Amino acid sequence: MVRLSAILGQHLPVFRQVFQFSDKNLLRWYPGHMGKGMKQMQQKLKSVDCIVEVHDARIPISGRNEQFRYTVSGLRPHILVLNKMDLADLSHEGVVRDYLTKQGMSEVLYTNCKDLSCSGLKKIVPTINRLILNSERYNRNEKEEFTVMVIGVPNVGKSSVINAIRNKYLKKSKAAAVGAIAGITRSVLTKIKVCQDPLIYVLDTPGILDPKVEDVETGFKLALCSSMNDHLVGIRHIADYLLYFLNRRGDFEYVHHLGLSSPLDSIEEVLINSAVNMGKTLKRKNAEGGYTIVPDIDAAAYNFVKLFRTGALGKFLLDEV
Ligand SMILES: Nc1nc2c(ncn2[C@@H]2O[C@H](COP(=O)(O)OP(=O)(O)OP(=O)(O)O)[C@@H](O)[C@H]2O)c(=O)[nH]1
Ligand SMILES: [Mg+2]
């Protein structure tokens, strides 16, 4: 990480300590398929023996849909899978686990679906097996098969986790559609068999956000991790939150990646300079009937956010612990 000490001697601006954002409505994303998905999930609940909730390991504390606790989890065994650990800073894993345990979430597994040999992925089925066999519900109805519902906010890797388990135990290729933008899975799918012994079926579900994300920073953390729709929140706003976050923690790796001469607090300045450095420009018609060449700010914003999302700026923990 390029820290303050590395650029001492340069004139540093005074960085924002608070992220000001007044238009909270941009952070509310609850399209029709999410409400419908929630209803479908409730209808299937009777047959569900265990809930596997997937969330992004970069935001282990915030952004989970609180509604799940009341509507779908109930008294069933509940495993929290913190996925995309390859992109997350895990140096505070112990503190995160302690915090989650205090919140009643003691079964926590870290996974990376890009690495099928990862130990967290290997632990999912044994954990499901142990929790279901120990649960009262299983002892009551003694069925042969287990049904697991995979839930979580959009784009955290629910379908990828299902495919990874299925690949490991049945050596079969993808059953659930996966994609880089939020909202790939749009309805509760029919049961997918993922393991023969024990016989486990999984229900994939659409990513569902809390209909009222009240806290602005939580909304932006979700947006930065692609759990919200870039077009709705606005890529420049997301880039601005990223800049604020990096500057506040004194992480100036971006300066070199964007070809800047020093850290900046203004997103406009960052994006204009970065667009020029990338050679990304747009032709705009001017009042004289000719064209003016202007920097392509949106292209620069997408590039900056992409550097974060692909891990090029490093591994991150967006929550403060
Ligand atoms: N780096 C990294 N990317 C991952 C990991 N797991 C999934 N992805 C990527 O994250 C994106 C979303 O994955 P999906 O499995 O479609 O996520 P989902 O939660 O099912 O998404 P929705 O159905 O839209 O709610 C895809 O581009 C995956 O390739 C992981 O462990 N690490
Ligand atoms: Mg999906």
Side-chain angles (χ1 to χ4, degrees), residues 158-159 177 184-185 204-205:
K158 297 175 294 300
S159 301
I184 291 294
T185 308
D204 194 5
T205 65

Side-chain angles (χ1 to χ4, degrees), residues 31 98 197 304:
D98 287 349
D197 184 19
F304 184 30

